[in-house]
Amino acid sequence: MRQTISSDFKLGILGGGQLGKMLCQAASSWDITTCVLDPDSEASASGVSTHFVQGSFRDFDTVMKFAEGLDMITIEIEGVNIEAVEKLEQSGIPVLPQPSCLRIIRDKGLQKLFYLEHDLPTAPFKLFQNASEVRDAINQGQIRLPFVQKIRLSGYDGQGVLIARNEEDLKQLFDVPSLVEDFVEDALEIAVIVSRNANGETSCYPAVEMVFNPVANLVESLLSPARISHQIEKIASALAIKTAEDLGIIGLLAVEFFIDKQNHLLINEVAPRPHNSGHHTIESALTSQYEQHLRAIFGYHPGSTNLKMPAVMVNILGSEGFSGQVIYKGLNEVLMVEGVKLHIYGKKQTRPYRKMGHATILAKTPEEALEKADFVLKTLKVEA
Ligand code: ADP
């Protein structure tokens, strides 16, 4: 392969959202030329990539044309045109993570079957073609409330997930191919990001603890390190590494877990790329997840994942009731707090619960970081 750390090396990134933006920023530190493809001409990464191409990463011809002259392709979103990246890989352009991993991961049904085949713990599930099959299974007593229905393709950030608690909720059943799994009661949610390079070297970040906004069903804040026992931390890292090894993935893999009431770890889902649950690593770890992704796809040794300080990450979401040209309120009050680091993604239009940015709050103790994060959430408003 060509020398990667050189301004001659052209890294193509499919997707130009916030993850693409932060990946470009890390690549820039290593003097790598980044070329980003995204349908939105004002995508977050458009201002920081070396070259930006407006076009759909879901379209075969657009992806093929975009890839001309590039030395390697990576992704910041799973929903890319899979046939195109497979063809590019066959033609000799490294595509990392590999399309074979994307094929499994982008389909939540195939993901769950993969966990079963590889003895990876996950909530029991069944696959269905449509809503009437799900209803039949309920009538025949094969599945019982409460349960969770997830569409197999194109779900993200809680879209495409139905938590069905009662008969009334069944009116909302998705009428597309889906999986239905047991509802994990009172689960604690954690995530572990693991990296793996072509030499098989792996490295895990300490687990983070996720706290959800119940209305938007989005991660509202995330604490690093998670408040879990050493024993659970060890099991979670081992499972994350096994998942990455069984997939054979080269790059980052974010593994989301439920910890149930019996303290059992269950894999919820994985993402083959930098992840929301790793944003804090930019400031709080010796190596950011973005640099770690580059190290993995370029075949370098993983960087240290040791933490410098406890941190809380909060998503800066569009406030309810506001849509249109974005205005941020409370910036100065928030920036007066020691340890607050703001990342504004540069999306021009806000709408309720849209991810517009994030803040990482560093403090000496997790409690202090959580307290400050609470202030940031209450003070910073995203209006129009
Ligand atoms: P997405 O891919 O959209 O992030 P997830 O599969 O992670 O979707 O589901 C979103 C959220 O819904 C989870 O983080 C969790 O809070 C809740 N959830 C999903 N599956 C279950 C489950 N089996 N039991 C309990 N809660 C669940």
Side-chain angles (χ1 to χ4, degrees):
M1 204 208 299
R2 297 204 26 217
Q3 190 189 335
T4 48
I5 298 190
S6 123
S7 28
D8 291 340
F9 188 89
K10 293 198 185 74
L11 176 66
I13 304 172
L14 297 175
Q18 59 266 21
L19 299 169
K21 176 177 183 175
M22 291 180 269
L23 188 58
C24 286
Q25 288 169 328
S28 162
S29 301
W30 281 0
D31 198 26
I32 293 156
T33 296
T34 47
C35 308
V36 167
L37 178 68
D38 195 277
D40 179 359
S41 63
E42 293 178 342
S44 301
S46 63
V48 295
S49 53
T50 324
H51 302 290
F52 179 79
V53 177
Q54 186 189 3
S56 173
F57 45 73
R58 298 183 202 279
D59 178 65
F60 181 88
D61 292 331
T62 310
V63 173
M64 295 304 288
K65 187 157 187 305
F66 168 74
E68 282 169 19
L70 299 180
D71 295 302
M72 184 186 276
I73 306 274
T74 189
I75 55 147
E76 63 113 46
I77 185 164
E78 292 91 309
V80 300
N81 188 290
I82 194 84
E83 289 77 20
V85 286
E86 279 170 349
K87 184 141 190 202
L88 290 169
E89 185 183 48
Q90 283 157 17
S91 72
I93 299 185
V95 180
L96 298 171
Q98 309 92 314
S100 56
C101 298
L102 299 183
R103 258 211 191 272
I104 298 171
I105 293 169
R106 69 189 194 130
D107 178 339
K108 287 189 178 183
L110 292 184
Q111 251 191 67
K112 294 284 281 189
L113 292 170
F114 178 87
Y115 303 142
L116 267 194
E117 276 163 31
H118 292 267
D119 264 337
L120 291 159
T122 192
F125 69 99
K126 288 196 166 58
L127 302 181
F128 297 97
Q129 281 305 321
N130 51 44
S132 87
E133 277 191 15
V134 178
R135 283 199 192 90
D136 289 347
I138 298 168
N139 294 336
Q140 289 159 19
Q142 291 167 5
I143 51 176
R144 246 177 279 140
L145 291 166
F147 63 69
V148 184
Q149 186 198 23
K150 301 182 182 184
I151 61 172
R152 289 183 63 165
L153 293 170
S154 324
Y156 72 98
D157 283 351
Q159 311 288 316
V161 174
L162 170 71
I163 300 186
R165 294 195 167 83
N166 51 45
E167 296 287 328
E168 186 65 19
D169 293 336
L170 297 179
K171 292 186 186 145
Q172 316 287 329
L173 279 178
F174 298 107
D175 195 18
V176 291
S178 70
L179 67 93
V180 167
E181 67 180 14
D182 289 1
F183 178 74
V184 184
E185 297 274 357
D186 298 328
L188 180 68
E189 297 187 41
I190 62 164
V192 172
I193 294 178
V194 57
S195 74
R196 182 173 177 279
N197 67 14
N199 306 323
E201 290 172 302
T202 56
S203 179
C204 278
Y205 285 94
V208 299
E209 186 179 324
M210 293 140 99
V211 183
F212 279 77
N213 174 318
V215 181
N217 202 16
L218 268 179
V219 180
E220 184 168 77
S221 69
L222 177 160
L223 172 65
S224 164
R227 295 165 292 187
I228 53 176
S229 68
H230 183 61
Q231 172 81 355
I232 294 207
E233 178 87 44
K234 255 177 61 181
I235 299 171
S237 309
L239 286 172
I241 291 173
K242 175 169 161 50
T243 310
E245 287 176 342
D246 290 352
L247 279 166
I249 194 168
I250 298 174
L252 285 191
L253 186 74
V255 185
E256 295 181 19
F257 294 94
F258 296 124
I259 305 176
D260 70 12
K261 283 191 283 196
Q262 289 77 40
N263 265 346
H264 293 137
L265 281 155
L266 299 167
I267 298 178
N268 172 25
E269 61 170 356
V270 298
R273 50 170 171 75
H275 193 246
N276 199 51
S277 67
H279 287 339
H280 65 287
T281 59
I282 295 176
E283 287 94 2
S284 75
L286 288 180
T287 309
S288 82
Q289 65 163 345
Y290 302 96
E291 178 183 333
Q292 197 76 318
H293 183 66
L294 295 174
R295 285 175 177 252
I297 63 177
F298 292 160
Y300 294 118
H301 191 73
S304 166
T305 54
N306 284 341
L307 301 175
K308 299 180 208 166
M309 274 176 112
V312 169
M313 191 285 293
V314 293
N315 284 312
I316 300 172
L317 304 178
S319 304
E320 244 179 300
F322 294 91
S323 290
Q325 192 81 12
V326 64
I327 301 168
Y328 297 97
K329 297 211 170 137
L331 286 173
N332 198 41
E333 289 85 334
V334 161
L335 289 170
M336 279 161 66
V337 180
E338 187 183 72
V340 171
K341 301 286 173 187
L342 275 189
H343 294 258
I344 299 296
Y345 300 152
K347 299 175 187 177
K348 306 280 182 283
Q349 302 288 317
T350 182
R351 50 177 189 266
Y353 300 110
R354 187 173 193 202
K355 279 186 193 165
M356 302 300 286
H358 75 262
T360 297
I361 299 102
L362 302 164
K364 290 194 190 72
T365 63
E367 293 71 30
E368 190 187 329
L370 283 167
E371 226 169 85
K372 288 180 169 175
D374 200 41
F375 175 79
V376 171
L377 281 173
K378 286 200 184 101
T379 310
L380 194 58
K381 296 290 165 211
V382 183
E383 301 183 356

